[in-house]
Amino acid sequence: MHHDHEHPHADIIPPRSGTAFELRAGDTMTVIDAEGGQVADLLAVSKADIREMLSSGRTLDYAERIYLTTGDKLYSNRSNVMLEILEDDVGRHDFLLTPCSEATFRLCYDNEPPHQGCHGNLAAALKPYGVAEDAIPVAFNCFMNVPVDGETGKFRVLPPLSKSGDRIVFRAAMDLIIGLTACSAPASNGGTFKSIQYKVN
Amino acid sequence: MHHDHEHPHADIIPPRSGTAFELRAGDTMTVIDAEGGQVADLLAVSKADIREMLSSGRTLDYAERIYLTTGDKLYSNRSNVMLEILEDDVGRHDFLLTPCSEATFRLCYDNEPPHQGCHGNLAAALKPYGVAEDAIPVAFNCFMNVPVDGETGKFRVLPPLSKSGDRIVFRAAMDLIIGLTACSAPASNGGTFKSIQYKVN
C-alpha cells in the first residue's frame, strides 16, 4: 500500500457504503480521503435528543459563507454548535445538497443503475439509533466540490480538490451520533468510487 | 390606498407574523409583495403525511441552480414535486437559509430586541397540523435577496429586488399544508417590516 494510504488506527468505509458511531463532547473526528478525490457525507444527531440534528440553513446563516473551513462551526436545527472544524487540508466542501439517493439516480443519471446512495446508506446506518429516513437533512459533504456561479446561481458538481491523504478534523461540541459515508454518486467523485477513512480520538 | 397595493380577494399577513392554510393539488397560490421590498418565508408539507416536506437540498440538486424562478419545481424530502413556479416578477429568491428565529436575533443582531421570527411564526401556524418545531427545514424565501460570491462563498443578505405589487405564483402538485410569513428579520427587508399578501385560486 502506498505510504499516503496508511492511517494507523483508522477505520475504513468501503466504497458506496456508510456507517454510524458515537462521538462524545470533546472528541475529535478525522475524516480522511485516503485515496484522493472522494466525498464523505457527514450527518450529526444529538445523542440526548435525536430530534436535534445538523442544519445547513442555520450553519450557513451564521457563517455568512456557503464554503466552510477551519474555525467554522456546524450548528443544529436548535442553533446549538454540534461540531467545530479544527483542521482542513482542502478548503472546499459542500453544504447545499442532500445525500444522493435512489431518486437522485432516477432523476439525474440516465445511464447509471439505481443505488440507494448516501441517503439510503445513512438511513440504514442511523436506523438503530431511531433516526427516521424522512428526517435526514442536507449533509455536510466533506471534500465535495460544488462551485457556484454567483451571477446565474448555476452550480456544477466537480471532482473533489482533495488529494490522497487529505483530512478534515472536527471536534464534537456535544454528545453526538455521527453518520458518515463513502459517496455513491458518480458526479461527486469523478466517476471513481473510493473508500473513506476516519479516526476518533 | 395606492393602486398597486390593491389586490382584490387577497389575504393579508401582517408585519412580522405568519399563517398556515391548505392548498389542493392543482390550486394556484400567488404571493404578493404588495408594499415592495419584503420577504415571505414559504414552507410546504404534504397533507397526506406531514413527514414529507419541502427540501432545499433535493430541489437545488435537481435544478442545478441556487436561484429558482418560473418553470422550476420545488421538491420534497422524498423527491416528489410539491410546487411549481408558474410566474415570477422578481427572479431572485433564497433557498439557502433557515427562517429567522429567536436564535438568529441572539446571534446575528446585537441591537435588536429578540423576536420569535419566521421560525417561531411558522411553528405556531403549523402546530395545529401536527408539524413539530424541530422539523421545520430551510424555507423557500420568496423575494429574499442573498447574492453569493462564487469565489469566496461569502454571501450578503440585501433588501429584496421586489417592487410594490410584484408576485410569484405557484401551482400545487399535491395536497399541501402551506406555512407563509411576512419576514421578521431586519436584514432581509432593509429594516422595514411590511405585510405580505397572498391569494389562492
Side-chain angles (χ1 to χ4, degrees):
Chain A
M1 206 178 194
H2 187 272
H3 176 75
D4 280 345
H5 293 192
E6 290 175 17
H7 294 277
H9 314 300
D11 286 298
I12 296 178
I13 304 174
R16 304 186 99 179
S17 73
T19 189
F21 51 90
E22 295 184 23
L23 279 188
R24 285 167 304 186
D27 282 352
T28 61
M29 169 180 63
T30 303
V31 180
I32 307 155
D33 185 3
E35 302 180 65
Q38 176 59 306
V39 167
D41 285 15
L42 167 65
L43 280 187
V45 179
S46 167
K47 184 159 163 54
D49 185 344
I50 60 169
R51 295 172 298 184
E52 180 167 17
M53 52 175 63
L54 197 61
S55 168
S56 64
R58 292 271 160 236
T59 301
L60 298 181
D61 201 356
Y62 302 148
E64 299 183 310
R65 250 179 301 112
I66 61 168
Y67 304 134
L68 303 181
T69 187
T70 305
D72 284 321
K73 297 175 171 70
L74 307 189
Y75 286 83
S76 75
N77 53 345
R78 296 181 188 171
S79 292
N80 295 313
V81 178
M82 303 193 98
L83 292 161
E84 182 177 4
I85 303 175
L86 296 184
E87 298 177 42
D88 177 11
D89 290 336
V90 181
R92 177 57 64 93
H93 316 278
D94 169 70
F95 209 4
L96 301 180
L97 306 180
T98 38
C100 60
S101 68
E102 182 279 332
T104 313
F105 283 89
R106 185 161 39 81
L107 294 168
C108 306
Y109 292 104
D110 284 347
N111 300 315
E112 286 283 328
H115 189 281
Q116 69 174 4
C118 289
H119 182 86
N121 287 332
L122 287 165
L126 291 169
K127 190 174 181 180
Y129 295 96
V131 178
E133 181 167 352
D134 281 323
I136 291 176
V138 172
F140 184 78
N141 301 307
C142 305
F143 314 124
M144 188 168 180
N145 182 16
V146 182
V148 175
D149 182 319
E151 292 301 311
T152 64
K154 287 189 183 182
F155 58 78
R156 291 181 299 163
V157 178
L158 297 182
L161 304 177
S162 46
K163 295 183 297 294
S164 172
D166 279 350
R167 312 173 314 152
I168 181 168
V169 184
F170 303 87
R171 182 169 51 209
M174 61 172 75
D175 291 348
L176 295 173
I177 301 153
I178 295 290
L180 191 66
T181 72
C183 185
S184 307
S188 63
N189 51 48
T192 66
F193 302 114
K194 294 168 177 168
S195 64
I196 284 288
Q197 297 186 21
Y198 68 97
K199 280 192 297 193
V200 174
N201 290 106
Chain B
M1 207 175 192
H2 186 273
H3 176 74
D4 279 343
H5 293 192
E6 289 176 18
H7 294 278
H9 314 300
D11 285 298
I12 296 179
I13 304 174
R16 305 187 98 176
S17 73
T19 189
F21 51 90
E22 295 184 24
L23 279 188
R24 284 166 304 186
D27 283 351
T28 60
M29 170 180 62
T30 303
V31 180
I32 306 154
D33 184 3
E35 301 181 62
Q38 176 58 307
V39 167
D41 285 17
L42 167 65
L43 280 187
V45 180
S46 166
K47 184 159 165 53
D49 185 344
I50 61 169
R51 294 171 299 184
E52 179 168 17
M53 52 175 64
L54 197 61
S55 169
S56 64
R58 292 272 160 236
T59 302
L60 298 181
D61 202 355
Y62 302 147
E64 299 183 311
R65 252 178 301 111
I66 61 168
Y67 304 134
L68 304 182
T69 187
T70 305
D72 284 321
K73 296 174 172 70
L74 308 189
Y75 285 84
S76 75
N77 53 344
R78 295 180 188 171
S79 292
N80 296 313
V81 178
M82 302 192 99
L83 292 161
E84 182 177 3
I85 302 175
L86 296 185
E87 299 177 41
D88 176 12
D89 291 334
V90 181
R92 177 57 65 90
H93 316 278
D94 169 71
F95 209 4
L96 301 179
L97 305 180
T98 39
C100 60
S101 68
E102 181 279 332
T104 313
F105 283 90
R106 185 163 38 82
L107 293 169
C108 304
Y109 292 105
D110 284 347
N111 300 315
E112 286 284 328
H115 188 281
Q116 71 175 3
C118 289
H119 182 86
N121 288 332
L122 288 165
L126 291 168
K127 191 174 181 180
Y129 295 96
V131 178
E133 181 167 352
D134 282 323
I136 292 176
V138 172
F140 184 77
N141 301 307
C142 304
F143 314 124
M144 189 168 178
N145 183 15
V146 182
V148 175
D149 182 320
E151 292 301 311
T152 63
K154 288 188 183 184
F155 59 77
R156 290 181 299 164
V157 178
L158 296 182
L161 303 178
S162 46
K163 296 182 297 297
S164 172
D166 278 352
R167 311 173 316 152
I168 181 168
V169 184
F170 303 87
R171 183 169 50 210
M174 61 172 73
D175 291 348
L176 294 173
I177 302 154
I178 295 290
L180 191 65
T181 72
C183 183
S184 307
S188 63
N189 51 48
T192 66
F193 303 113
K194 293 167 178 167
S195 64
I196 284 290
Q197 298 187 20
Y198 69 96
K199 279 192 297 192
V200 174
N201 290 106

